[in-house]
Amino acid sequence: MKVGIMGGTFDPLHIGHMMAAEAARDAYGLAEVWFMPSHIPPHKHEAGVSGAQRLAMVEEAVRTHEAFRTLDWEVNRGGVSYTIDTVRELKEKYPQIDFYFIIGADMVEYLPKWEGIEELVEILTFIGVGRPGTPLDLGALPAAIAQGVRLADMPQVDISSTMLRERAAEGKSIRYMVPDAVFDYVQRGGLYGVQPRAAD
């Protein structure tokens, strides 16, 4: 059984994340994709909303997809979320599963800086999904890492969580840039500076 892990801050989850997960699933025949929100990512600022809120948004968004699941391990563990720690636990609990870790093209070039990357490429396969303006050049990676990376294409959607947070803080709409369930959750909770919406 092949399972994709879609890690990220998801602050908030947007349609680009969903499209990347579906593109990877389709390209490599993944039985499921598990969305795994990080608690504090090692390469980014601390999230704008709590881990519990980001996890709830992901749960709401993936609920209707038959192959998408949510993995709450990193949020529940707390602290800085290192992929190597989580993947070791996953392989111990699910030794029969072949794991694929899905990342955006912008992250592929940073793989040599990942904690435990030499071990990671031995125990799973990375899938780099194309993003606007970011060419995927595996030749720029050390050969030992490049051999553990596959590529997948997706329609180009130039949306980022940073841009969405900025739009929300400025009072601009993020509707249709995030899944409907995420939009509703942000509106209900008044996240990212959005004026809270009264309950129906």
Side-chain angles (χ1 to χ4, degrees):
M1 180 175 172
K2 297 195 291 188
V3 170
I5 301 295
M6 185 79 181
T9 316
F10 303 127
D11 189 28
L13 176 84
H14 55 72
I15 61 169
H17 294 128
M18 303 291 280
M19 292 170 66
E22 185 70 355
R25 186 179 77 90
D26 189 48
Y28 292 96
L30 307 180
E32 295 181 350
V33 176
W34 300 351
F35 285 71
M36 182 178 67
S38 58
H39 182 65
I40 301 174
H43 59 280
K44 289 186 178 179
H45 61 84
E46 193 165 345
V49 299
S50 73
Q53 289 171 316
R54 290 181 288 109
L55 179 64
M57 282 190 279
V58 173
E59 288 174 339
E60 290 287 327
V62 307
R63 192 183 308 278
T64 58
H65 195 298
E66 71 283 355
F68 286 176
R69 307 282 182 266
T70 307
L71 191 65
D72 60 7
W73 289 12
E74 292 192 344
V75 168
N76 290 341
R77 188 169 62 219
V80 176
S81 301
Y82 289 105
T83 300
I84 184 61
D85 296 332
T86 307
V87 170
R88 284 171 179 158
E89 291 182 37
L90 284 168
K91 291 300 291 183
E92 183 175 344
K93 185 170 183 178
Y94 305 105
Q96 75 282 11
I97 293 179
D98 291 327
F99 285 105
Y100 291 71
F101 202 90
I102 304 164
I103 58 176
D106 56 335
M107 288 303 301
V108 171
E109 64 180 293
Y110 290 104
L111 283 176
K113 301 178 183 177
W114 280 37
E115 185 80 15
I117 186 60
E118 295 84 1
E119 182 179 349
L120 279 169
V121 295
E122 292 294 327
I123 58 180
L124 57 69
T125 302
F126 284 93
I127 300 176
V129 182
R131 293 185 61 176
T134 309
L136 287 165
D137 181 15
L138 296 186
L141 294 176
I145 297 175
Q147 58 86 25
V149 181
R150 304 292 180 268
L151 303 179
D153 293 325
M154 62 174 272
Q156 302 296 278
V157 178
D158 195 7
I159 295 176
S160 72
S161 295
T162 300
M163 179 263 281
L164 294 175
R165 291 193 302 272
E166 290 172 353
R167 286 184 64 89
E170 293 167 3
K172 297 177 181 177
S173 175
I174 61 172
R175 177 171 252 161
Y176 307 122
M177 301 177 202
V178 298
D180 289 344
V182 171
F183 179 77
D184 289 342
Y185 189 93
V186 169
Q187 295 291 115
R188 289 196 310 270
L191 306 185
Y192 308 114
V194 170
Q195 196 67 27
R197 187 182 68 198
D200 296 329

